[in-house]
Amino acid sequence: MKRALLIAGGTIGGLGAVLTITPPDFSGTTLVATDTPAPGQTESAVPPASFTGSVVTTRYGNVQVKITVENGKITDAQAVQVPTGSSDRYTQMSVPVLRERTIAAQSANIQAVSGASFTSYGWYTSLASAIAKAGL
Amino acid sequence: MRNASTIKYSSGAGVDWAALIAGLGLGLTVAMQVTSMSRADVSSVYAAITSFSRLCALVGTYFAVLGIFLIARIPFVERGVGHDRLVTWHRKLAPYSLFLIGFHVIFVVVGYAGQDQLPLYKELWAVLTTFYWMWAALGGFVLMVLAGVTSYKKARAKMSYETWWIIHIYTYAAVALSFMHQVLNGSMFVGHPLARLYWTGLYVLMGASVVYWRIGLPLVRSLHHNIKVDRVVVEGPGVVSVIMRGRKLHKLAAQGGQFFSWRFLEKGQLLVAHPYSLSAAPTEHYMRITVKDLGDHSRSLALLRVGTRVFVEGPYGAFTAGRASSPHVVLVGGGVGITPIRAIVEEFKNGVQMDVIFRASKEEDLVLREELDYLAANSDGTIRVHYLVGARKNHPMDARSLTKLVPSFADADIYICGPTPLVDSVRKAAQDVGVPKDKFHDEAFGYHTGNQ
């Protein structure tokens, strides 16, 4: 009995602690970043600047990538637009991976995520145009 | 007899901590799913089903991991809970794990099929071919189902312990095979390094516990103590004792009442270890088990050759003298269940009054009788032995007859090992006279040799 209470207490405590720190966000899709106007579109500046690539239409929908550049390095890559609906799960899975690969590669020359080949294709095409805009 | 002060008794506090940590782990596991949910998870019925399937998978896998921890032979847990109870918990938890993982497989395909508007068989193929490590995960699931089916009571009764055991061991492979598909595809892991860290840590801890406590420690101990068969003695019809010799056996810190898993390194017996209770308190050089002819394995023990090397895992079990809180104990042995009783008698410190009740259907089943009589005769009256021989109806083991036999039955700590009906009726008798639960100690392993 005492141990059952300990187990239940631990479960509630652990769950509660995590959810207090990072509650789930049901307000909007977490994948699509809010677009802020990019300050300079011709050359990179010392303060972080973001560059939005062109819209690429794929079989499942549009893909548009926005990169953040700091001191001539890509520090972040976000999806402004990604396919939604029936292929949502592929996107859910692929965007964080594509983001990691982009930051690691520092170029549009990255490997596609299997199961998300259309999103991947859209991603690096849009990414390439964003990199061109940033003048990297 | 060993000095009682060298025996370590579990206070139970460690087990309380373990329970709290197990609960905390479950909370974190559920939290991983909940915290990574977004609007996409509630955008349609099928998305919600998919999301639910992930929760099933996480909790089911957590239960599988917990089930492995339960039987990982972690010493303080073994001492605090008792191996038989751990196995019972393991057995109760496992079906939940299997069903939850089964739900995951069904719901994930149904949910995705609904979202992609594909027929189920096409979606199943798509899921298997588009995500990472899916064939490994499928293999793991099949192995897990096999272990589940063969553990089902009716199937289990039809196969040998050895077959069941080998299939069961593959569950380790099943849990390992499913790991990669979880952390590479799971929406709670992709892009969530902390969740990945927690989950990987859990698996590493599990693997390390198994390798250290179930494999490494027994192997090192068996080699170090150099245990070999010394003599095989036939004690009665179908009952044999195996006496083993080793060096510095007292360092194993085993007590009478506990058991080891024994593996005799002889052709045909290598693969499987069997649990048998010690039938005498161990000494510096000798250990003994006494086994009744119950299965293929126990029959072949009579043919063991002198000098056969023995690998042991243990000692296990909470059937120990240290758990008694009264100055008077009643020890009940049914048939060959007398063996841990015979061993534990030597462990009670001077002054503890012992009533040994030996229940058997035939006179010839009173194994180790001479030893009990010898111990009683040299005990200055602290040990009394009562033999109850004959049909069950002549010896009802209820509150009235037990109190008549042992007047202070209600105030004693009760230790019992024997067939389930005997254990159940004595348990009921103890409840009837108000013996608290923590003063009733039973050991299923000493009796159900090999048949866990």
Side-chain angles (χ1 to χ4, degrees):
Chain A
M1 187 60 208
K2 181 178 156 208
R3 279 170 197 159
L5 284 175
L6 283 169
I7 292 171
T11 305
I12 295 163
L15 182 61
V18 172
L19 294 186
T20 312
I21 300 163
T22 58
D25 179 16
F26 290 106
S27 58
T29 142
T30 50
L31 292 171
V32 180
T34 50
D35 207 354
T36 47
Q41 298 222 334
T42 47
E43 52 180 70
S44 64
V46 177
S50 46
F51 302 90
T52 307
S54 52
V55 177
V56 179
T57 305
T58 74
R59 204 175 113 189
Y60 295 108
N62 291 343
V63 180
Q64 191 176 20
V65 182
K66 188 186 74 170
I67 55 168
T68 306
V69 177
E70 214 169 331
N71 293 326
K73 294 197 85 174
I74 302 171
T75 55
D76 196 11
Q78 302 268 7
V80 181
Q81 283 188 68
V82 282
T84 52
S86 70
S87 53
D88 211 27
R89 67 189 157 100
Y90 298 113
T91 313
Q92 287 272 2
M93 190 189 97
S94 63
V95 169
V97 178
L98 289 165
R99 178 181 172 272
E100 274 174 35
R101 288 183 185 171
T102 304
I103 295 167
Q106 290 291 318
S107 79
N109 187 17
I110 55 170
Q111 210 197 329
V113 175
S114 71
S117 42
F118 286 93
T119 303
S120 300
Y121 166 74
W123 179 281
Y124 43 77
T125 310
S126 180
L127 176 63
S129 71
I131 290 173
K133 277 185 192 173
L136 292 175
Chain B
M1 208 184 292
R2 260 173 320 110
N3 181 0
S5 66
T6 62
I7 302 169
K8 279 187 285 181
Y9 299 127
S10 171
S11 63
V15 181
D16 290 346
W17 277 106
L20 185 68
I21 291 167
L24 198 66
L26 179 62
L28 291 178
T29 304
V30 174
M32 282 199 306
Q33 162 70 7
V34 179
T35 190
S36 66
M37 279 168 74
S38 68
R39 204 170 64 176
D41 290 293
V42 290
S43 59
S44 75
V45 178
Y46 289 113
I49 289 176
T50 313
S51 208
F52 179 68
S53 89
R54 292 193 190 112
L55 186 65
C56 290
L58 281 174
V59 176
T61 307
Y62 183 74
F63 284 174
V65 171
L66 205 60
I68 289 178
F69 272 117
L70 286 177
I71 46 119
R73 317 291 199 264
I74 302 168
F76 78 93
V77 180
E78 293 283 339
R79 277 197 304 269
V81 179
H83 189 75
D84 50 349
R85 254 200 294 171
L86 285 171
V87 169
T88 306
W89 291 353
H90 171 85
R91 222 186 285 158
K92 282 185 178 163
L93 194 62
Y96 288 101
S97 169
L98 187 59
F99 283 124
L100 283 167
I101 293 169
F103 287 155
H104 164 66
V105 172
I106 295 164
F107 288 145
V108 84
V109 175
V110 169
Y112 280 163
Q115 288 178 73
D116 292 354
Q117 299 182 313
L118 280 176
L120 285 178
Y121 70 94
K122 273 192 185 167
E123 186 58 56
L124 179 64
W125 183 254
V127 164
L128 282 171
T129 49
T130 47
F131 292 119
Y132 297 111
W133 284 80
M134 289 307 291
W135 295 104
L138 180 70
F141 181 59
V142 170
L143 290 177
M144 210 173 250
V145 170
L146 276 177
V149 169
T150 53
S151 294
Y152 180 62
K153 228 187 278 166
K154 283 179 185 162
R156 175 82 182 77
K158 285 196 181 116
M159 66 183 75
S160 71
Y161 176 80
E162 286 77 7
T163 312
W164 170 85
W165 188 83
I166 301 232
I167 294 172
H168 217 76
I169 282 295
Y170 279 107
T171 319
Y172 288 119
V175 171
L177 280 171
S178 65
F179 178 74
M180 290 309 281
H181 100 282
Q182 299 162 14
V183 295
L184 290 181
N185 302 313
S187 58
M188 67 296 292
F189 294 119
V190 176
H192 293 90
L194 273 179
R196 235 177 220 177
L197 187 72
Y198 160 63
W199 206 241
T200 310
L202 190 68
Y203 265 72
V204 168
L205 207 62
M206 173 189 70
S209 302
V210 171
V211 168
Y212 184 76
W213 280 308
R214 266 204 98 163
I215 303 169
L217 200 63
L219 201 65
V220 168
R221 275 187 173 171
S222 298
L223 290 173
H224 174 73
H225 293 288
N226 194 27
I227 306 163
K228 285 176 178 166
V229 173
D230 193 63
R231 257 175 306 155
V232 178
V233 181
V234 177
E235 301 279 357
V239 180
V240 291
S241 283
V242 181
I243 295 143
M244 284 155 281
R245 192 189 160 89
R247 64 165 176 241
K248 293 181 185 165
L249 294 179
H250 57 288
K251 291 263 171 74
L252 284 168
Q255 307 167 46
Q258 289 189 302
F259 69 94
F260 287 85
S261 253
W262 309 89
R263 189 190 306 266
F264 298 97
L265 296 199
E266 206 170 63
K267 213 178 146 196
Q269 307 215 5
L270 283 172
L271 278 177
V272 182
H274 289 262
Y276 298 116
S277 287
L278 294 169
S279 61
T283 65
E284 190 182 337
H285 297 295
Y286 291 101
M287 290 199 288
R288 184 183 74 176
I289 55 172
T290 302
V291 179
K292 195 180 170 164
D293 188 346
L294 290 170
D296 301 348
H297 183 261
S298 41
R299 205 164 305 145
S300 62
L301 288 183
L303 306 171
L304 274 178
R305 270 177 309 196
V306 168
T308 302
R309 188 175 270 283
V310 188
F311 271 35
V312 296
E313 297 165 43
Y316 301 133
F319 197 70
T320 48
R323 294 177 80 86
S325 52
S326 327
H328 177 214
V329 293
V330 175
L331 306 145
V332 186
V336 77
I338 198 69
T339 54
I341 301 285
R342 149 72 183 84
I344 204 170
V345 161
E346 293 177 84
E347 301 284 4
F348 287 101
K349 279 172 273 173
N350 296 338
V352 174
Q353 181 65 45
M354 287 171 259
D355 275 282
V356 179
I357 301 174
F358 194 165
R359 177 77 186 87
S361 48
K362 289 184 295 255
E363 195 79 26
E364 62 195 50
D365 290 337
L366 294 174
V367 292
L368 307 176
R369 180 183 187 157
E370 293 79 16
E371 294 181 18
L372 284 169
D373 289 341
Y374 177 84
L375 286 169
N378 292 284
S379 69
D380 296 329
T382 56
I383 304 173
R384 279 190 297 260
V385 189
H386 314 270
Y387 296 100
L388 304 179
V389 184
R392 206 176 282 174
K393 64 177 193 299
N394 297 336
H395 297 287
M397 302 295 280
D398 55 15
R400 228 190 78 201
S401 33
L402 282 168
T403 314
K404 207 174 143 196
L405 191 66
V406 184
S408 53
F409 178 70
D411 301 317
D413 268 85
I414 295 153
Y415 285 76
I416 184 162
C417 182
T420 313
L422 175 72
V423 175
D424 288 345
S425 61
V426 174
R427 190 196 306 274
K428 189 175 173 298
Q431 279 164 359
D432 289 348
V433 297
V435 174
K437 231 177 161 182
D438 60 356
K439 287 176 76 177
F440 187 87
H441 318 275
D442 64 320
E443 174 58 80
F445 260 85
Y447 189 74
H448 298 289
T449 43
N451 278 319
Q452 31 174 315

